[in-house]
């Protein structure tokens, strides 16, 4: 049994409008789901991804209005990296400059070009040139021309005080293999050329502990093929003495959560049912979706949420 890569990454943001404008307007991702935090329905939960929200392409945000900035540090995912085609590096540096996004790079890491910048809340994002991109899944109706679009995750970086036990969990349990190593950065991969098939562990004992608030990653989720496999993972993770949650219904996937040895919150999420479970693929992200148990309170929830101007493509397909 092995994980088939990153399912999604969830981070914290403080301003819903700035968040939507940046991820759809600048980075050209599709808003595939507009919903609320199921555990805190007074706040938005926004999902950005490729055309239909394939696992491996999904970056989600809990919106904590007015939240202070967190601190990036150990025990966190400190870099969230997307894949772009190798010929798109110049396009992206020009695009970021045009949108007045300060960036570093391109610089080289493991033979690939890396462009690094922060989102409006200070969340560190990278675009990494990759030969491992397939045009089929890219979102082609956003502002970025099809040839240059983001192709899901390249990888994520876990910042760890020590890496041995995290490395052991990744390789001996989750099925990753060590594929590259340079200085204090260790790269692990699963499977083939799929979005989100890699994770880097940065061993940084000198780094202070991170504090989760705006501009930091809340957790990273790995892919389980189906509910049956997730039950197997639950058994295995519990057998290894991790304090793992029971399966939780997140409507778009089913999830279990536990903390890895370096304290990063890990989730294992199922590929199905996906984002078309409660609205047509064409209309993804065009209106507020609520899980059945919150639907009776819709009027109250809607009136408490701050107004949000949606991307024009999503709005044009709403009835
Ligand atoms: Zn999650």
């Amino acid at each position: 049994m092995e994980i088939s890569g990153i399912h999604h990454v969830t981070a914290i943001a403080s301003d819903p409008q700035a968040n939507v404008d940046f991820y759809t307007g600048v980075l050209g991702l599709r808003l595939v789901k507009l919903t609320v935090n199921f555990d805190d329905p007074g706040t938005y939960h926004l999902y950005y991804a490729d055309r239909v929200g394939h696992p491996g392409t999904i970056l989600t945000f809990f919106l904590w209005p007015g939240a202070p900035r967190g601190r990036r540090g150990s025990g966190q995912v400190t870099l969230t990296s997307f894949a772009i085609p190798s010929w798109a590096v110049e396009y992206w540096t020009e695009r970021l400059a045009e949108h007045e996004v300060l960036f570093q790079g391109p610089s080289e890491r493991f033979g690939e070009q890396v462009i690094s910048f922060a989102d409006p809340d200070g969340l560190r994002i990278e675009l990494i040139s990759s030969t491992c991109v397939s045009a089929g899944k890219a979102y082609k109706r956003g502002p970025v021309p099809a040839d240059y679009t983001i192709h899901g995750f390249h990888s994520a970086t876990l910042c760890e005080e020590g890496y041995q036990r995290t490395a052991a969990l990744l390789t001996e349990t989750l099925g990753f293999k060590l594929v590259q190593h340079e200085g204090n950065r260790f790269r692990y991969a699963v499977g083939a050329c799929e979005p989100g098939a890699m994770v880097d562990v940065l061993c940084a004992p000198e780094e202070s502990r991170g504090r989760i608030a705006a501009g930091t990653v809340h957790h990273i989720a790995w892919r389980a093929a189906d509910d049956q496999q997730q039950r197997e993972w639950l058994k295995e993770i519990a057998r290894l003495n991790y304090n793992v949650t029971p399966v939780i219904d997140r409507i778009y996937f089913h999830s279990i959560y536990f903390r890895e040895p370096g304290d990063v919150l890990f989730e294992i999420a199922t590929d199905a049912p996906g984002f078309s479970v409660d609205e047509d693929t064409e209309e993804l992200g065009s209106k507020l979706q609520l899980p059945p148990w919150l639907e009776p309170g819709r009027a109250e929830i809607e009136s408490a949420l701050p107004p949000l101007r949606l991307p024009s493509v999503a709005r044009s397909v709403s009835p």
Side-chain angles (χ1 to χ4, degrees):
M1 205 164 59
E2 71 175 36
I3 285 298
S4 22
I6 299 170
H7 184 288
H8 64 268
V9 172
T10 294
I12 313 291
S14 65
D15 177 346
Q17 192 64 61
N19 190 256
V20 167
D21 292 349
F22 185 78
Y23 286 97
T24 65
V26 180
L27 297 192
L29 301 180
R30 183 175 189 189
L31 178 67
V32 293
K33 196 61 63 182
L34 174 64
T35 185
V36 294
N37 183 339
F38 294 176
D39 301 324
D40 179 14
T43 60
Y44 284 115
H45 191 181
L46 304 177
Y47 291 75
Y48 306 95
D50 68 354
R51 192 166 47 79
V52 301
H54 289 103
T57 74
I58 310 159
L59 177 60
T60 99
F61 287 89
F62 295 140
L63 270 299
W64 296 356
R69 286 222 173 165
R71 189 178 61 222
R72 262 177 302 121
S74 63
Q76 285 182 344
V77 172
T78 48
L79 293 170
T80 302
S81 309
F82 289 106
I84 54 171
S86 50
W87 58 84
V89 173
E90 196 182 333
Y91 169 85
W92 275 101
T93 55
E94 282 169 13
R95 182 173 180 82
L96 293 170
E98 251 167 52
H99 286 84
E100 297 178 347
V101 178
L102 290 175
F103 62 90
Q104 284 101 50
S107 58
E108 198 177 297
R109 184 191 301 150
F110 295 134
E112 296 170 322
Q113 298 295 304
V114 182
I115 307 169
S116 174
F117 51 96
D119 84 354
D121 281 294
L123 182 74
R124 298 304 303 184
I125 299 287
E126 294 180 328
L127 300 180
I128 302 185
S129 70
S130 172
T131 49
C132 188
V133 293
S134 79
K137 292 177 178 175
Y139 181 45
K140 301 191 178 79
R141 287 162 61 196
V144 176
D147 274 356
Y148 303 113
T149 52
I150 283 171
H151 290 258
F153 293 121
H154 174 279
S155 56
T157 297
L158 313 179
C159 180
E160 306 277 5
E161 265 169 14
Y163 79 100
Q164 300 284 2
R165 289 167 62 209
T166 300
L169 174 66
L170 290 173
T171 57
E172 290 163 23
T173 304
L174 300 182
F176 284 88
K177 289 187 177 60
L178 180 67
V179 290
Q180 308 242 41
H181 170 213
E182 199 174 274
N184 62 342
R185 182 180 287 271
F186 300 80
R187 174 160 291 174
Y188 300 86
V190 278
C193 215
E194 286 261 341
M198 293 190 289
V199 61
D200 286 4
V201 174
L202 196 64
C203 180
E206 73 291 351
E207 191 72 56
S208 41
R209 299 287 292 177
R211 185 169 38 80
I212 289 179
T216 61
V217 171
H218 187 269
H219 64 267
I220 183 167
W222 310 104
R223 294 174 59 187
D226 53 30
D227 291 319
Q228 170 61 32
Q229 203 186 77
Q230 187 175 57
R231 280 191 291 273
E232 300 289 322
W233 281 120
L234 179 56
K235 257 192 274 173
E236 179 63 9
I237 305 289
R239 191 186 66 80
L240 293 167
N241 264 332
Y242 288 98
N243 197 17
V244 60
T245 68
V247 176
I248 299 173
D249 183 7
R250 297 302 187 193
I251 300 290
Y252 312 110
F253 39 84
H254 306 138
S255 301
I256 58 174
Y257 302 82
F258 63 101
R259 286 198 183 272
E260 57 86 34
D263 217 26
V264 179
L265 184 58
F266 275 11
E267 172 183 349
I268 296 178
T270 52
D271 280 4
F275 294 100
S276 302
V277 71
D278 60 356
E279 58 188 336
D280 285 351
T281 305
E282 281 298 299
E283 295 184 4
L284 291 178
S286 63
K287 49 187 183 304
L288 184 73
Q289 298 296 330
L290 296 175
W293 63 90
L294 292 176
E295 201 56 66
R298 175 176 280 272
E300 205 178 316
I301 288 169
E302 281 183 342
S303 67
L305 288 168
L308 195 53
R309 198 175 55 255
L310 297 181
S312 54
V313 170
R315 201 169 44 203
S316 73
V317 296
S318 65

